[in-house]
Amino acid sequence: MSIVVTGATGHLGRHVVEQLLEKVPADQITAVVRNAEKAADLAARGVKIALADYNTPASFDGLFAAGDKVLLVSGNEFDKGRVQQHQVVIAAAKAAGVALLVYTSAPGSLTAGLADDHRGTEEALLTSGAPYALLRNGWYHENYTENLAPVLEHNVVLAAAGEGRVSSASRADYAAAAVAVLTGEGHENKTYELGGDEAWSFAEYAAELSRQTGKEIAYSPVSVEALTGILTGAGLPEPLAATLAGVDASIEKGELVVSTGDLSRLAGRPTTPLSEAIATALKG
């Protein structure tokens, strides 16, 4: 029996593998990657490495075994048909008779276009008949703290979210929840709505940035159309820019406020405050 993590060298997957190594022997962990070189450090620590690609269904043949617990980390290739990519993993896991297939989804309250692939994947997973757990991950602190350069350059936070609030948490927090489900019992056919303990507004985010940098950083709310144009101007493809701006529209409607407490409960600790994520980013 293995715990198998897809996308294991990605931002979230790597956190999951690192935290699994604290709980289970390395030879019980299989990291599924597209590039073996990126996983060389994990292999050196005894983690099994499997090469597979969501776009090559045959690469998943025989990868899973009966009794495995599998974490399907959602793909990030928005232009390649993510539902079909995910179905490759679901079909292989079902055929192998895995004990649990865990999927990183999006909050059930999210209506933005970003959620469409997640809803389609959830439907495919439920109809497959495989034992599943849905981790409906809210927004990540890092979606903001990893892109501070333009904010600090112009001393302004731009968002199309009005006064909406976000229950974000760190990738490490969401990884801790995944590890709890992968290593625990009784999670079959459960859905968890995951988000940070404290919801914040963009005005509060700008104020915290000001406090920590000693600069006057303002929040400037813009329209969804304006934000799409700004993101496109910064080099993002127009469809992706529109998708991200659409998330801001959902934030304004309150769709990224998650108040279940599922994340801190599964992680066994409070979630990481946004202020701490900002401090870490500024040090970097």
Side-chain angles (χ1 to χ4, degrees), residues 160-184:
E163 296 176 13
R165 303 179 78 79
V166 184
S167 303
S168 65
S170 71
R171 286 198 187 104
D173 293 337
Y174 291 106
V179 168
V181 169
L182 290 165
T183 59

Side-chain angles (χ1 to χ4, degrees), residues 26-130:
D27 63 1
Q28 289 181 20
I29 305 168
T30 299
V32 182
V33 300
R34 287 187 294 192
N35 182 334
E37 286 175 25
K38 286 188 180 176
D41 61 313
L42 298 176
R45 292 159 72 185
V47 174
K48 295 175 185 169
I49 307 299
L51 286 176
D53 188 322
Y54 296 155
N55 300 307
T56 311
S59 65
F60 281 90
D61 289 352
L63 198 154
F64 305 125
D68 283 353
K69 290 183 177 178
V70 179
L71 177 65
L72 168 53
V73 176
S74 57
N76 60 3
E77 295 177 312
F78 293 91
D79 57 340
K80 293 241 178 109
R82 291 198 296 168
V83 178
Q84 286 75 25
Q85 289 182 328
H86 298 157
Q87 281 177 318
V88 167
V89 181
I90 292 168
K94 170 66 175 171
V98 303
L100 188 66
L101 181 52
V102 184
Y103 174 63
T104 61
S105 192
S109 52
L110 187 65
T111 63
L114 183 77
D116 293 348
D117 288 347
H118 292 298
R119 299 293 161 256
T121 302
E122 287 186 8
E123 189 178 336
L125 184 47
L126 266 60
T127 54
S128 76

Side-chain angles (χ1 to χ4, degrees), residues 4-18:
V4 186
V5 180
T6 73
T9 52
H11 289 308
L12 180 63
R14 186 166 276 279
H15 274 292
V16 172
V17 175
E18 290 288 349

Side-chain angles (χ1 to χ4, degrees), residues 249-262:
S250 283
I251 289 171
E252 184 167 25
K253 290 187 276 188
E255 294 177 5
L256 277 176
V257 173
V258 179
S259 54
T260 59
D262 283 353

